[in-house]
Amino acid sequence: MYVTTQHAVSAVAADAVTRELRDRTEITDALYRFGLGQDLKDGELFASAFAEDAELDFRPAAAAWGAEPPLMSGRDTIVTTILAMFEGRVDTTHQVTNPRVAVDGDTARLTALVEAQHLLIADRGTHALLKNLYDVDLVREGERWLLRRVRIDNLWYTGDPTAVFGG
């Protein structure tokens, strides 16, 4: 079969576009796994979002209401800390919007708006609704993208923030 140079270039360009679209989908999916893993209280799904050496910084968001959570480092620490903090105490729902992705080889940057509802299980009248800006660095691991650094800043909140961290 005879392939012209133009067809070969077109095939390479199509492969590059396909790879970029796959990367963007996987990058956004990492943040979806982060939110849904919490909402379903699914430790395996939640952990699948993070690189082993991940860092989660909720301090900028918590500063909006005077809380001082620690910087969390390492996938196991993040998963254990977050899920234990909500277990039997808080139901959550996370909605991710406006994702913006920039890929640079095997690293990427993602910004997104995340609306997170926190509702006390024992007192459905106590809740906190947070609108947060996520600034995320990711790393490619095989075909999957993982969160390496997550910085969460609060844009606004309503309700009682003790629904997030307790009183």
Side-chain angles (χ1 to χ4, degrees):
M1 182 167 125
Y2 176 74
V3 177
T4 66
T5 302
Q6 182 180 12
H7 286 110
V9 169
S10 295
V12 168
D15 287 347
V17 168
T18 300
R19 174 131 179 131
E20 180 176 347
L21 291 173
R22 184 180 310 120
D23 283 345
R24 288 176 175 275
T25 299
E26 284 294 327
I27 288 164
T28 305
D29 186 62
L31 191 53
Y32 293 154
R33 294 190 314 266
F34 171 93
L36 192 59
Q38 289 177 74
D39 298 343
L40 298 178
K41 298 170 180 53
D42 182 333
E44 187 175 326
L45 179 61
F46 189 49
S48 77
F50 296 100
E52 186 176 342
D53 63 346
E55 180 179 282
L56 177 62
D57 190 358
F58 193 73
R59 295 174 304 178
W65 59 84
E68 296 179 7
L71 175 67
M72 290 176 252
S73 297
R75 175 179 47 224
D76 294 342
T77 298
I78 293 167
V79 171
T80 301
T81 302
I82 296 294
L83 294 182
M85 183 171 57
F86 296 148
E87 181 65 34
R89 192 182 72 81
V90 178
D91 283 331
T92 63
T93 56
H94 290 76
Q95 297 175 353
V96 177
T97 63
N98 302 30
R100 300 285 299 153
V101 174
V103 179
D104 184 14
D106 289 336
T107 63
R109 177 113 184 252
L110 166 68
T111 58
L113 294 175
V114 178
E115 192 168 282
Q117 179 73 264
H118 298 74
L119 181 67
L120 289 184
I121 293 169
D123 176 8
R124 297 295 190 182
T126 302
H127 69 279
L129 176 61
L130 314 175
K131 179 64 90 172
N132 294 325
L133 177 63
Y134 280 50
D135 183 9
V136 183
D137 293 329
L138 299 97
V139 62
R140 183 194 315 266
E141 195 169 286
E143 290 299 313
R144 183 155 259 189
W145 284 87
L146 302 172
L147 309 174
R148 173 161 283 156
R149 184 196 59 82
V150 181
R151 183 179 188 275
I152 304 171
D153 201 354
N154 183 254
L155 300 175
W156 56 260
Y157 74 90
T158 64
D160 184 349
T162 62
V164 180
F165 292 111

